[in-house]
Amino acid sequence: MVLSAVTPPLKLTPLLPTFKCCYSTEKAFPSPPCSSSSSSELESQSAIKSKLSTRRGILDMAVGLMAASLVVSTSPDANATRVQYYATVGEPLCDLSFVKSGLGYCDVAVGTGAEAPFGELINIHYTARFADGTVFDSSYKRARPLTMRIGVGKVIKGLDQGIFGGGGIPPMAVGGKRKLRIPPELAYGPEPAGCFQGDCNIPANATLLYDIYFVGLYK
């Protein structure tokens, strides 16, 4: 008779997830609920949230700075546009009359104030162009009138005659606006002018067009 060994049955224990719970004896600070996530996972999620919050803050700051720069830059650009407008847009056209010297003139508006006194300082606004209409100088662009001494050769002959008068041209009065067409012999003649390091603003034998506004006597 053969005796066989009897193997006792095995007890299988089911595998359950491990829960990490925290308990606190302080009533004022209750313990967090149990969680199946590990502490490293919680730290990782917290770090991600922190990075997202930081990036969102940086983005908001960048948008704010861009908006501020646009606001700041708008006003100077607008002012520059207005100055450029006055510097480049001429007075209404009028028919020029020419006198013996070759100077052409016409009054857009006759002034009602004092006439330009001989040898005294006056304030004028002007826009200067070449014969093709290109602007090469303007007091409007500098946002202030030009102070000049009139009638004594301190400016080109065409301006002296065209503002102070003489040779068939009436003198300008304060508040007046006049157009002048100045031939080369009453301007800068055969030599270029406004030169700096070989670059000249006004070429030789240039005919010049001026819009003059007699602002007032210098005080």
Side-chain angles (χ1 to χ4, degrees):
M1 179 176 179
V2 179
L3 297 177
S4 61
V6 178
T7 304
L10 297 175
K11 293 183 180 181
L12 300 178
T13 303
L15 298 176
L16 298 177
T18 301
F19 293 90
K20 183 178 181 181
C21 300
C22 300
Y23 298 94
S24 174
T25 58
E26 298 292 338
K27 295 183 179 179
F29 301 97
S31 302
C34 296
S35 172
S36 61
S37 300
S38 64
S39 60
S40 60
E41 291 177 347
L42 290 176
E43 292 175 358
S44 177
Q45 292 177 2
S46 178
I48 292 173
K49 289 181 180 179
S50 177
K51 290 181 180 179
L52 290 176
S53 178
T54 302
R55 290 179 181 177
R56 189 176 295 110
I58 294 173
L59 180 61
D60 292 342
M61 184 183 297
V63 172
L65 290 175
M66 290 176 62
S69 65
L70 289 175
V71 171
V72 171
S73 63
T74 299
S75 181
D77 290 344
N79 291 336
T81 300
R82 286 193 290 270
V83 171
Q84 189 69 13
Y85 172 81
Y86 287 116
T88 57
V89 177
E91 298 290 346
L93 297 177
C94 59
D95 295 328
L96 294 172
S97 298
F98 290 87
V99 296
K100 187 176 180 179
S101 65
L103 182 64
Y105 79 98
C106 65
D107 286 316
V108 176
V110 177
T112 58
E115 294 181 356
F118 178 79
E120 297 297 322
L121 293 173
I122 63 172
N123 291 328
I124 66 166
H125 265 306
Y126 71 93
T127 298
R129 297 175 171 80
F130 295 124
D132 64 358
T134 302
V135 174
F136 67 87
D137 193 15
S138 176
S139 62
Y140 291 108
K141 200 168 186 178
R142 294 185 289 274
R144 63 179 184 272
L146 171 70
T147 300
M148 56 183 287
R149 195 173 298 277
I150 195 68
V152 292
K154 296 298 183 181
V155 293
I156 59 175
K157 294 178 180 179
L159 288 178
D160 262 346
Q161 184 181 5
I163 297 173
F164 181 72
I169 296 181
M172 288 188 71
V174 173
K177 294 182 178 181
R178 176 174 287 179
K179 284 182 174 292
L180 299 174
R181 183 181 180 90
I182 304 176
E185 54 270 22
L186 297 179
Y188 297 99
E191 297 295 329
C195 300
F196 180 73
Q197 295 183 348
D199 185 17
C200 297
N201 193 25
I202 302 174
N205 296 312
T207 296
L208 307 180
L209 309 178
Y210 275 83
D211 288 330
I212 304 293
Y213 170 41
F214 191 172
V215 177
L217 305 180
Y218 177 78
K219 296 180 180 179

